[in-house]
């Protein structure tokens, strides 16, 4: 085996002076997770500039058995992208690999390097009159390699699918340092196992994604945004079914905002507005888009809302009259997440079949409030995908540390309801360190065993992001 010190020196030579960081102060942003739940340590942060450099680094690590933590924008919420505390792993950050290699507006594809920031990809697609629809709160700093590795969801899954569905091909550096060039821009390719799917959502445990060919779509010409007030969560999902059936593929977002979360945002986050004259227990932020002009989108939305008002499905609503107003409405959606940082919050990112969302919210709310009267459940997010962020804010005046110490107790209640409704305990954020043990209780044993076998087959030395996603 190659000596570790020699291996680290060789890696420094491969990436050159701009490609490594050993200074603890400069390493800081690479070591702390987005919600500050974990802080790791490392000898080296490596910042390669090309696929060949990544391959050379991984080959050296494989020979010396040095574990590697791949890292994108470090916005992940499950502790997958930060190294463990023991300092044995190197961090391999992809940020310097940020070239757009090719855009093909006729094939509706773009081939991009893993370190491209998601928002930059939106701009690049718009320049050729196309849309790359993946959109999430962290889009100004997360990278496409991280999005692929977590199979990110976000606000437009309803219409366009999650990252998995937006990907045609990948380039990957395997755990032995070989490069797999799977950068195909094909919509049809039935030539055996679809290997890219192993790396998408693989959280860096099977290899390092260095580039991807992703799908583009026609750019929307008309967008309508509305915010609606409702009394009951059952009505939210009835409205969803009606809106989806009436508008077809034009419904692009359907986000739930509870009043309790809006109240927190009104207190803590400047620029948040109370959008309707009277408060309502629930709000829906709905967006429709059409790539045609004169599509009649506004008339369709107005008809939908008129009927919903007549039938008392919604109590009130506002349609954005300008893109500025639409931004204000979307600001509410972003502000409710930020506002929850001001109190102790036990978080869940779960999914159930869309038809069971209301059932989930009602049962889980009863379960947690029976256990701790005064607890403030905040069920919000992408309910049109069956994805509920079911966060539990501490009771007013409670001791935050004592409350957060009960995290697992509330996980058990909430995940128990998820199980009853045949849902998933991680809808879009992934598993990482946070849920690595938890998933073993919620997935069939056969599935866990197959995951372990895949991991051992591709990474027998267990150097790719060990201790994340799957325990061996
Ligand atoms: C404010 C906010 C809002 C968010 N909203 C959403 C949302 O709506 N939907 C959603 O799905 N997520 C959301 N997230 C979570 C996060 O942004 C996503 O998980 C995102 O895809 C992570 O990308 P990243 O580049 O930051 O990856 P990182 O955090 O750096 O890494 C995530 C995982 O991927 C691995 N990885 C990173 N790059 C590579 C690579 N090139 N090859 C192999 N493995 C790699 C890492 O090892 C780690 O396991 C949100 C986060 C924040 C802070």
């Amino acid at each position: 085996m190659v000596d570790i010190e020699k291996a680290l020196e060789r890696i420094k030579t491969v990436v050159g002076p701009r490609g490594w960081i050993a200074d603890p102060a400069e390493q800081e942003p690479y070591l702390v997770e987005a919600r500050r739940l974990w802080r790791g340590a490392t000898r080296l942060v490596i910042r390669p500039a090309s696929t060949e450099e990544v391959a050379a680094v991984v080959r050296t690590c494989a020979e010396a058995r040095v574990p590697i933590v791949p890292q994108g924008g470090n916005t992940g919420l499950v502790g997958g992208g930060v190294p463990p505390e023991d300092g044995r792993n190197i961090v391999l950050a992809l940020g310097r690999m940020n070239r757009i290699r090719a855009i093909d507006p006729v094939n509706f594809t773009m081939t991009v390097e893993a370190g491209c920031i998601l928002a930059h990809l939106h701009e690049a697609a718009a320049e050729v009159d196309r849309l790359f629809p993946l959109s999430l709160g962290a889009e100004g700093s997360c990278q496409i390699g991280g999005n692929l590795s977590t199979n990110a969801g976000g606000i437009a899954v309803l219409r366009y699918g999650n990252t998995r569905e937006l990907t045609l091909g990948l380039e990957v550096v395997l755990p032995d340092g070989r490069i797999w060039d799977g950068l195909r821009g094909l919509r049809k390719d039935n030539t055996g196992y679809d290997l890219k799917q192993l790396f998408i959502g693989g959280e860096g445990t099977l290899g390092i994604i260095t580039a991807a060919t992703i799908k583009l779509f026609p750019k929307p010409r008309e967008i309508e945004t509305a915010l609606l007030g409702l009394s009951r969560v059952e009505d939210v999902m009835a409205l969803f079914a009606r809106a989806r059936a009436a508008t077809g593929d034009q419904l692009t977002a359907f986000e739930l905002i509870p009043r309790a979360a809006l109240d927190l945002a009104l207190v803590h986050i400047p620029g948040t507005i109370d959008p309707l004259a009277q408060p309502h227990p629930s709000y829906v932020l709905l967006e429709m888009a059409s790539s045609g002009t004169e599509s009649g989108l506004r008339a369709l939305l107005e008809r939908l809302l008129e009927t919903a008002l007549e039938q008392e499905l919604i109590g009130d609503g506002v349609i954005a009259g300008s893109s500025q107003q639409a931004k204000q409405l979307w600001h509410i959606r972003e502000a409710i997440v930020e506002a929850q940082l001001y109190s102790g919050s036990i978080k869940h990112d779960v999914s159930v079949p869309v038809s069971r969302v209301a059932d989930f919210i009602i049962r889980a709310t009863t379960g947690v409030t029976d256990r701790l009267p005064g607890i403030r459940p905040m069920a919000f997010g992408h309910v049109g995908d069956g994805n509920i962020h079911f966060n539990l804010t501490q009771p007013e005046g409670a001791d935050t540390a004592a409350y957060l110490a009960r995290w697992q107790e509330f996980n058990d209640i909430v995940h128990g309801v998820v199980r009853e409704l045949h849902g998933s305990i991680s809808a879009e954020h992934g598993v990482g360190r946070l849920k690595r043990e938890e998933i073993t209780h919620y997935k069939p044993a056969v599935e866990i065993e197959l995951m372990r076998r895949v991991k051992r087959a591709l990474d027998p030395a267990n150097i790719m992001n060990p201790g994340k996603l799957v325990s061996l």
Side-chain angles (χ1 to χ4, degrees), residues 441-454:
H441 305 299
Y442 291 89
K443 273 172 142 4
V446 170
E447 208 171 322
I448 297 287
E449 172 53 19
L450 287 176
M451 281 169 60
R452 287 186 178 135
R453 277 206 222 171
V454 170

Side-chain angles (χ1 to χ4, degrees), residues 140-433:
S141 48
C142 65
Q143 298 172 9
I144 189 67
N147 303 144
L148 286 154
S149 303
T150 55
N151 183 29
I155 56 172
V157 173
L158 190 53
R159 161 71 181 85
Y160 299 100
N162 49 29
T163 310
R164 201 179 280 291
E165 291 158 273
L166 297 174
T167 309
L168 293 178
L170 288 186
E171 178 187 83
V172 179
V173 171
L174 300 169
D176 59 9
R178 280 179 300 163
I179 299 169
W180 170 48
D181 180 355
L183 285 175
R184 301 177 194 118
L186 303 175
R187 279 164 175 84
K188 290 191 169 183
D189 176 19
N190 275 350
T191 52
Y193 304 133
D194 190 356
L195 293 178
K196 67 176 178 296
Q197 302 300 355
L198 287 176
F199 301 97
I200 301 174
E203 300 187 24
T205 60
L206 300 178
I208 296 173
I209 297 173
T210 46
T213 300
I214 51 181
K215 290 183 192 170
L216 301 178
F217 292 82
K219 200 165 157 226
R221 313 268 168 228
E222 290 179 5
I223 299 177
E224 296 292 347
T225 311
L227 195 126
L228 316 168
L230 300 90
S231 301
R232 301 178 329 136
V233 70
E234 295 94 320
D235 294 340
V236 169
M237 298 319 289
L239 176 71
F240 167 73
R242 186 174 300 186
R244 180 135 204 234
T247 63
D249 276 352
Q250 296 182 119
L251 185 64
T252 50
F254 192 92
E255 298 283 315
L256 173 63
I257 298 172
R259 179 71 206 187
L262 173 56
D263 282 338
L264 282 184
L266 288 168
V267 172
H268 294 293
I269 312 297
T272 309
I273 53 162
D274 198 352
L276 304 177
Q278 298 297 325
H280 295 263
S282 297
Y283 298 85
V284 163
L285 180 58
L286 172 155
E287 192 168 274
M288 290 163 58
S290 166
S291 49
T293 48
E294 297 175 35
S295 61
L297 205 59
R298 170 60 77 103
L300 186 63
L301 178 60
E302 283 173 352
R303 264 200 314 279
L304 178 78
L305 299 190
E306 261 167 37
T307 324
L309 263 172
E310 273 165 29
Q311 295 174 356
E312 298 182 352
L313 209 50
I314 60 176
D316 195 4
V318 57
I319 300 179
S322 64
S323 57
Q324 188 52 33
Q325 275 180 10
K327 266 194 196 138
Q328 276 185 331
L329 297 181
W330 274 107
H331 174 78
I332 299 174
R333 170 65 181 84
E334 284 148 26
I336 62 162
V337 180
E338 219 184 313
Q340 290 171 48
L341 297 173
Y342 288 82
S343 333
S345 172
I346 296 176
K347 298 181 192 305
H348 304 92
D349 161 43
V350 302
S351 65
V352 293
V354 176
S355 50
R356 310 306 299 272
V357 165
D359 205 4
F360 167 80
I361 295 175
I362 292 164
R363 286 203 218 177
T365 301
T366 307
V368 298
T369 45
D370 282 354
R371 181 63 61 90
L372 181 62
I375 197 170
R376 289 171 288 169
M378 314 264 163
F380 69 97
H382 324 299
V383 290
D385 311 322
N387 180 187
I388 310 108
H389 296 311
F390 192 70
N391 290 358
L392 305 172
T393 299
Q394 66 184 72
E396 303 243 20
D399 176 72
T400 302
Y403 173 71
L404 292 179
R406 298 178 70 178
W407 193 294
Q408 186 61 45
E409 183 186 340
F410 287 101
N411 268 191
D412 291 345
I413 296 172
V414 174
H415 292 169
V417 180
V418 169
R419 189 206 303 270
E420 283 165 22
L421 298 177
H422 306 289
S424 167
I425 64 160
S426 179
E428 62 173 10
H429 294 161
V431 174
R433 276 174 82 167

